[in-house]
Amino acid sequence: PVIMTRQTDDVLSNNGQDYDIVEIESPGDTFPVSLYQPPTSLNICSMSTACAKGFNARFEVSTEDGRLALTALQVRTSGNVYPSIEGVAPVGQEISFNNGPSNILWADYAGMDVHMSQFSGRILLGADFMREVDSYGASLYRRVLEIHVTEGRVTNAIDRSKEVADRRKQTQETGLHCPYSWERDHCERELERRKLEGEEEEGNDDDL
């Protein structure tokens, strides 16, 4: 079997609590890997086997008005070139001197304040990671929060910890892998819909 390295998650701070961003759902049943995408001109490359997307982002929700903003970014580029991003210059660089010439492993951008005004959708957040659980996504966390966002402002928050715990219990009792995942559930619904459509088409052919 192919074993995938667990990827590092972006982080979102909400009411003073840091959460891993476990899953994102945008309108149209799309599931982006991050709320923010750095400029394509940076030529971002993999930071490590645990960070294939080449960057880690940190976000924060304002306790005053629910404003969702990008506050920090860690990036690696293929050309070791690190210009300002969103008007912010890098504050530090991690440099490796192994194997000849020095190589910048990544650069850090702090003190950012980029309102995620173009994002509407929902975000699944996880805290209290459970290393002993053999699963993925939200099922790896003891505390799970779902937040709804409209044009970059949080409008609602729902505690999903019990639903996720029920999925873990279902997996233990049935032996069937039932992780809590919006994308997985969406794919299963699509497969079921296509199966039903195929059966209906077969039924129509039989009526001819």
Side-chain angles (χ1 to χ4, degrees):
V2 177
I3 300 176
M4 299 291 291
T5 301
R6 183 176 182 274
Q7 297 295 292
T8 55
D9 297 305
D10 290 345
V11 174
L12 186 148
S13 177
N14 183 56
N15 288 325
Q17 168 72 56
D18 279 358
Y19 292 88
D20 287 345
I21 297 180
V22 179
E23 198 166 6
I24 304 166
E25 184 182 54
S26 297
D29 295 319
T30 58
F31 303 90
V33 296
S34 180
L35 292 168
Y36 178 78
Q37 183 62 48
T40 55
S41 59
L42 289 177
N43 294 320
I44 292 175
C45 64
S46 173
M47 191 178 294
S48 68
T49 56
C51 186
K53 71 178 187 287
F55 66 92
N56 291 309
R58 182 178 180 84
F59 303 87
E60 187 169 331
V61 176
S62 169
T63 56
E64 296 181 357
D65 58 5
R67 181 177 182 269
L68 175 63
L70 171 72
T71 60
L73 195 64
Q74 188 179 75
V75 178
R76 184 182 186 187
T77 68
S78 59
N80 287 339
V81 176
Y82 295 92
S84 295
I85 299 177
E86 305 289 352
V88 177
V91 295
Q93 298 175 343
E94 183 70 20
I95 301 176
S96 169
F97 294 97
N98 296 329
N99 301 321
S102 62
N103 181 46
I104 300 174
L105 299 182
W106 64 74
D108 292 312
Y109 295 79
M112 306 180 79
D113 184 23
V114 182
H115 182 205
M116 307 306 295
S117 58
Q118 295 186 356
F119 176 77
S120 294
R122 56 179 184 163
I123 307 170
L124 201 59
L125 306 172
D128 200 355
F129 181 76
M130 297 183 292
R131 296 184 181 278
E132 69 277 9
V133 175
D134 182 17
S135 187
Y136 66 87
S139 296
L140 293 170
Y141 297 86
R142 190 168 280 107
R143 287 183 291 157
V144 179
L145 186 69
E146 174 184 325
I147 62 173
H148 296 183
V149 181
T150 301
E151 296 180 348
R153 294 188 187 276
V154 176
T155 57
N156 193 24
I158 306 169
D159 190 338
R160 295 296 188 191
S161 302
K162 185 180 184 304
E163 288 95 325
V164 174
D166 288 344
R167 286 284 188 100
R168 284 196 298 269
K169 184 178 180 182
Q170 182 181 354
T171 296
Q172 293 171 352
E173 292 177 347
T174 65
L176 300 175
H177 198 202
C178 307
Y180 190 94
S181 167
W182 294 334
E183 185 171 11
R184 183 179 186 274
D185 291 348
H186 169 70
C187 290
E188 289 187 348
R189 288 193 300 269
E190 279 295 295
L191 288 173
E192 184 63 24
R193 181 184 63 81
R194 292 175 184 177
K195 179 182 177 182
L196 291 173
E197 288 178 351
E199 291 176 351
E200 289 177 359
E201 289 178 0
E202 289 180 2
N204 293 335
D205 290 341
D206 291 341
D207 292 339
L208 296 178

